[in-house]
Amino acid sequence: MPVDEDAAIAELEQCDWDDPLTRLLLLLEIADRPAWLREVARNSHRGTAAQRRAG
């Protein structure tokens, strides 16, 4: 079944990102990622921070 992109975007726009439960669920999802993915995210974050300082 194809994903309805418009419905997915509408759902994200309605999400209460400041809700503590939403934040907890997002953190738990992130924590469940494999170690190599956490390393990629960590390295990309460092690169972004370095670009901001240089810019």
Side-chain angles (χ1 to χ4, degrees):
M1 179 174 180
V3 175
D4 184 359
E5 196 170 314
D6 292 332
I9 291 171
E11 184 177 339
L12 286 174
E13 289 173 348
Q14 293 176 4
C15 186
D16 183 7
W17 297 108
D18 291 327
D19 183 277
L21 183 57
T22 301
R23 288 178 180 228
L24 175 61
L25 291 173
L26 288 171
L27 287 172
L28 289 172
E29 184 175 333
I30 292 167
D32 192 37
R33 302 290 183 212
W36 66 268
L37 186 54
R38 287 192 299 268
E39 185 64 30
V40 168
R42 191 176 304 120
N43 289 338
S44 68
H45 178 68
R46 287 181 188 154
T48 303
Q51 288 174 352
R52 276 190 240 139
R53 283 189 297 249

